[in-house]
Amino acid sequence: MKGIILCLCFGVLGGCATYQQDINEGLVLAQQGKWKDAEETLQGVLSSPQDQLLYYMETGALAQNQGDYERSNALLEQAERLSDTFFSENFSNRSWALLSNPRQGDYRGSGMERVYISYLKSMNYLALATQETPFTQKRQLNDAALVEVRRIDIKLNEIRAQNPSYQDLNAKENQAFYQKALGWLSGFYTGGRDTDTFLYRDDAWARYMEGLNYEISGDIDDARVSYQKAANLYEDGYAKQYDLSATTAERAWLDTIRMMQKGGFDQNDIDTLIQSKLSADMRHTFEQYHHDDAELVVLEHQGFVPNKSEMTLLLYADPRAYSLVLEPLHGGGAKDTNDSFRWFTMAYADINPLNLLANYKAGGAWGTFSGVFTKRVILGRPIWQQLNAINLDTLLTKQVIRVTVPYYQRFTLDKSPTALITNGTPLNAQQPSIRMTSLADIALQEQLAQAQRDIYESLIRELLRSWLAYQIAANVQDEGASLLLNLIGQVAVFASSAADTRNWLTLPAQVRLTRQPLPAGQYSPKYTVDRTPFSLGDIELGANDIRLWNLRNPN
């Protein structure tokens, strides 16, 4: 019977699409730089009320890429309001998602996505300010960008208040042995994993952009404070967490020092920071800044954040150990299989002592080793007796239950060489562009941080759905009809299991920064990425002007 059910289920699994598969046509167009066509395609796909937040985020980002900044801000403002609304979750919406699948629930967005709604809006206002000539209108738009900067600050402070800081993590590394032992014991009940490491706790790049916005508006001391916050974050752990170079912190310190100079700080304090925080190369960059220079700032938003995939796990009972056992069902190509297995081992496999012991009791030495390929949920005898009372243990021994969870496949960030050229002269040979953040890595680690919640929510959802289908079939008096109904129910529940694989897919994978001081004058800047050229056109820079080039590179 189990074999028949599995064959039928595998036959219909092809119809279970992930979010990325649903919007794939629009994504392909976006990856080709066909922003308008991509937006029109996604508008038709993201029509569900549950995907309303995604609709506004995706189309808002694509409108910005088309240079339609006012419309982009209107769309992103709708996303802003929805992302705040969803913090108080609708109970009926949540209940329906529990009984069907999580795609039926409202998409709520991640912490990082909420921050980058305001980030993109600030970029829109800065772009609109560049297009204005009258000082009053330009100032109003720069002030509007600062409103978004303050929203970013509020959101990041909310996130900081809910999560341990980098200092907390560093203190945990240096704590006394008995404190580490207590933490180890508590790991018995949390899967043995310290998910604090993966949390999105603050954003050094967003803090840096706060500084840039303040600098553009002439608020020198606020710019200094924000640049210094960014520098400290990069040093404390942000660069290490998201695999960024130490140059990120140096760049933030360089700009902190520049603001200190403009703010009239004591030269001894400035010299101390230059010697302690800047390498020889970065000191050379610092020396290129002169009084009344203009500056060209290139923000290359490159690529796209990776999409989530769906991993299938098989759930069965182990009555001898009073446990439920989950193991991955491998499918797809070799890379998909390897990636899903690696994710399972990293996020779920049995590594804590209680589960290792239960695996040993169930299968000896081989059982202990096999825990690398399984996740065991230890219920204990009292809870197992409760399952027995409602015949759930019988259900688990008679049929296969499919549990699905989201995961990310492996990705590689682009490392192509970049060059900034003005009037035919390469400018940044000594100090190439710097990867200042990786939104791809932030998204991956946010998913890892909530992996335990994902698997337990999915397990409960599928147990409930399978038990309801089992009860309906069990209450039919005719034996043949009951068997047929049970078979149909098992296939339907198995095939309709789905993970929530939604995320904001038009965000860039990474942001690379190039800052170049220039004498006042006329320029025709070009920027190349592995020989792919981008042009800003003809521009004129006055003394102390800062020209921001928001470059969206889909490649």
Side-chain angles (χ1 to χ4, degrees):
M1 176 64 75
K2 285 185 179 180
I4 296 173
I5 294 169
L6 277 173
C7 290
L8 289 170
C9 292
F10 291 153
V12 297
L13 278 180
C16 300
T18 63
Y19 172 69
Q20 187 270 342
Q21 290 169 327
D22 287 345
I23 69 168
N24 187 63
E25 182 181 352
L27 283 179
V28 170
L29 290 169
Q31 289 160 4
Q32 296 170 355
K34 299 177 180 178
W35 308 118
K36 184 175 176 59
D37 293 340
E39 183 183 355
E40 290 174 353
T41 302
L42 291 184
Q43 284 175 340
V45 175
L46 298 176
S47 56
S48 165
Q50 289 78 27
D51 293 334
Q52 197 171 23
L53 175 59
L54 281 164
Y55 171 86
Y56 288 120
M57 293 193 301
E58 304 283 19
T59 56
L62 290 169
Q64 180 183 100
N65 298 343
Q66 297 169 58
D68 196 344
Y69 304 117
E70 290 185 356
R71 186 167 64 86
S72 173
N73 267 346
L75 291 164
L76 291 170
E77 180 59 29
Q78 292 295 321
E80 180 78 48
R81 295 174 182 175
L82 280 174
S83 67
D84 287 340
T85 303
F86 286 157
F87 265 90
S88 53
E89 195 169 12
N90 183 292
F91 177 75
S92 60
N93 179 280
R94 183 70 172 168
S95 300
W96 174 242
L98 182 64
L99 287 172
S100 52
N101 74 62
R103 278 292 303 274
Q104 301 302 315
D106 290 331
Y107 182 74
R108 294 160 56 82
S110 67
M112 181 263 284
E113 289 173 350
R114 291 185 67 238
V115 168
Y116 277 83
I117 291 172
S118 296
Y119 173 91
L120 292 187
K121 289 186 68 184
S122 72
M123 300 291 290
N124 284 332
Y125 283 120
L126 292 176
L128 290 168
T130 302
Q131 297 172 358
E132 293 290 342
T133 303
F135 175 79
T136 304
Q137 285 93 324
K138 187 181 290 285
R139 183 68 198 187
Q140 287 176 345
L141 289 164
N142 282 334
D143 287 345
L146 290 180
V147 170
E148 297 306 322
V149 161
R150 294 183 185 107
R151 280 182 171 179
I152 290 173
D153 193 58
I154 290 169
K155 292 173 183 178
L156 289 176
N157 288 340
E158 288 176 354
I159 291 169
R160 280 169 59 92
Q162 297 171 33
N163 298 310
S165 68
Y166 288 115
Q167 289 87 345
D168 294 333
L169 289 182
N170 292 334
K172 187 183 292 186
E173 290 295 319
N174 299 321
Q175 65 188 191
F177 173 76
Y178 76 90
Q179 290 176 306
K180 290 185 177 180
L182 287 175
W184 181 68
L185 289 171
S186 68
F188 281 11
Y189 303 99
T190 60
R193 291 167 174 82
D194 185 2
T195 57
D196 286 352
T197 305
F198 304 121
L199 292 172
Y200 179 65
R201 58 184 46 79
D202 209 326
D203 198 310
W205 171 240
R207 299 288 188 187
Y208 184 93
M209 282 302 296
E210 290 177 15
L212 180 57
N213 273 270
Y214 283 124
E215 185 182 358
I216 289 171
S217 295
D219 300 326
I220 299 303
D221 199 54
D222 286 335
R224 176 191 63 81
V225 171
S226 296
Y227 282 140
Q228 189 165 348
K229 282 183 180 178
N232 285 324
L233 277 170
Y234 279 121
E235 283 186 338
D236 289 344
Y238 186 88
K240 179 181 178 182
Q241 182 176 358
Y242 299 119
D243 197 23
L244 306 171
S245 75
T247 315
T248 53
E250 286 191 56
R251 180 68 238 193
W253 278 119
L254 184 153
D255 294 308
T256 302
I257 294 166
R258 289 195 307 105
M259 297 305 101
M260 290 174 69
Q261 277 189 330
K262 291 185 177 183
F265 275 67
D266 185 83
Q267 189 61 43
N268 289 330
D269 294 337
I270 292 173
D271 290 341
T272 298
L273 277 179
I274 290 173
Q275 293 302 316
S276 62
K277 298 297 186 182
L278 303 186
S279 63
D281 286 343
M282 198 60 75
R283 286 198 292 270
H284 175 75
T285 301
F286 177 70
E287 290 165 0
Q288 294 177 15
Y289 284 85
H290 304 293
H291 183 65
D292 286 339
D293 267 354
E295 187 174 16
L296 178 61
V297 181
V298 184
L299 303 182
E300 183 203 348
H301 295 87
Q302 187 274 329
F304 298 88
V305 295
N307 57 276
K308 296 179 186 177
S309 297
E310 184 176 84
M311 183 193 308
T312 292
L313 310 172
L314 297 182
L315 173 67
Y316 58 89
D318 183 358
R320 294 175 298 169
Y322 303 117
S323 303
L324 303 177
V325 180
L326 288 153
E327 64 179 57
L329 174 66
H330 300 305
K335 182 181 182 299
D336 293 348
T337 299
N338 288 337
D339 288 351
S340 64
F341 177 74
R342 288 170 187 266
W343 185 279
F344 179 85
T345 303
M346 177 171 58
Y348 302 123
D350 290 334
I351 61 171
N352 75 54
L354 284 182
N355 284 350
L356 291 173
L357 181 60
N359 288 330
Y360 179 77
K361 289 181 177 179
W366 169 250
T368 305
F369 175 74
S370 69
V372 177
F373 310 101
T374 62
K375 177 176 179 61
R376 182 177 295 272
V377 181
I378 302 173
L379 302 177
R381 186 172 183 178
I383 295 179
W384 194 265
Q385 289 174 337
Q386 294 179 39
L387 296 182
N388 179 263
I390 58 173
N391 296 322
L392 193 53
D393 62 330
T394 305
L395 164 69
L396 289 166
T397 55
K398 284 187 174 181
Q399 69 180 59
V400 178
I401 293 180
R402 177 177 178 237
V403 175
T404 51
V405 290
Y407 77 101
Y408 281 105
Q409 295 184 21
R410 284 171 292 164
F411 58 84
T412 303
L413 293 177
D414 179 73
K415 297 179 181 178
S416 300
T418 64
L420 177 61
I421 304 166
T422 62
N423 302 345
T425 304
L427 294 177
N428 64 330
Q430 295 296 322
Q431 186 63 55
S433 64
I434 305 168
R435 178 190 297 157
M436 298 297 285
T437 192
S438 169
L439 276 66
D441 282 288
I442 293 174
L444 181 146
Q445 292 193 35
E446 279 193 305
Q447 190 62 50
L448 272 175
Q450 67 178 43
Q452 295 297 318
R453 188 196 73 181
D454 287 336
I455 199 166
Y456 283 113
E457 283 191 355
S458 183
L459 187 151
I460 292 170
R461 179 172 60 251
E462 298 311 323
L463 278 176
L464 177 59
R465 288 172 0 109
S466 297
W467 181 76
L468 288 173
Y470 179 78
Q471 289 296 107
I472 291 171
N475 287 321
V476 174
Q477 299 298 320
D478 184 273
E479 185 177 351
S482 177
L483 286 172
L484 179 61
L485 191 59
N486 184 45
L487 175 61
I488 294 172
Q490 289 181 48
V491 172
V493 170
F494 191 103
S496 62
S497 176
D500 194 346
T501 55
R502 295 174 292 181
N503 62 316
W504 187 358
L505 290 175
T506 51
L507 281 175
Q510 62 178 330
V511 184
R512 292 190 281 221
L513 170 71
T514 303
R515 298 190 70 156
Q516 182 62 50
L518 295 165
Q522 294 181 339
Y523 298 93
S524 301
K526 292 181 173 57
Y527 183 86
T528 63
V529 183
D530 195 23
R531 300 182 183 179
T532 301
F534 300 88
S535 177
L536 183 58
D538 297 331
I539 62 171
E540 183 168 355
L541 296 175
N544 298 309
D545 281 352
I546 299 176
R547 179 60 185 266
L548 183 65
W549 184 2
N550 177 14
L551 190 158
R552 188 64 175 95
N553 176 10
N555 301 308

